């Protein structure tokens, strides 16, 4: 999968090594979690997302190497209704940061 250099729907400050790219995909939402760091780090992540009637949780762990972009998760959720998500990321075992995600209109 090839990602654009700076996706317009990316939701994460630059200093955080995992960001979410959220786009509409037909009758659903496509989510890609991208990891990228200037130094080697271990990340643990959990994404809870979906519409009010259908939510799912997925997570994992990865080791990010300096300057190498990694796709951590690539999923499409189908269904109607407002889509939202919460991404929690822990870097090297420190306190987690949290991103609230919304699907673009």
């Amino acid at each position: 999968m090839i990602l654009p250099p700076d996706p317009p729907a990316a939701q994460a400050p630059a200093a955080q090594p995992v960001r979410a790219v959220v786009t509409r995909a037909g009758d659903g939402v496509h989510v890609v979690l991208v990891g990228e760091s200037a130094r080697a780090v271990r990340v643990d992540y959990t994404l809870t997302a979906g519409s009010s009637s259908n939510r799912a949780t997925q997570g994992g762990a990865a080791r990010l190497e300096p300057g190498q972009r990694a796709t951590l998760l690539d999923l499409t959720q189908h269904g109607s209704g407002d889509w939202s998500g919460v991404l929690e990321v822990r870097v090297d075992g420190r306190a987690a940061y949290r991103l609230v995600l919304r699907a673009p209109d």
Side-chain angles (χ1 to χ4, degrees):
M1 167 182 239
I2 298 174
L3 295 174
D6 291 312
Q11 299 175 25
Q16 297 172 339
V18 177
R19 71 180 186 272
V21 180
V22 180
T23 56
R24 288 281 178 190
D27 68 343
V29 175
H30 184 223
V31 181
V32 178
L33 298 185
V34 178
E36 193 167 20
S37 179
R39 64 180 181 86
V41 295
R42 176 186 165 86
V43 294
D44 296 281
Y45 58 90
T46 303
L47 173 65
T48 301
S51 64
S52 59
S53 63
N54 183 21
R55 297 193 71 76
T57 299
Q58 289 190 310
R63 175 123 179 116
L64 301 179
E65 296 300 327
Q68 294 182 1
R69 184 181 293 185
T71 300
L72 305 178
L73 181 71
D74 185 337
L75 69 90
T76 300
Q77 288 185 316
H78 296 279
S80 59
D82 291 337
W83 184 96
S84 64
V86 175
L87 173 63
E88 289 188 353
V89 180
R90 183 175 307 275
V91 181
D92 288 335
R94 289 177 284 178
Y97 66 86
R98 181 179 232 186
L99 301 174
V100 175
L101 309 175
R102 304 254 184 257
D105 293 330

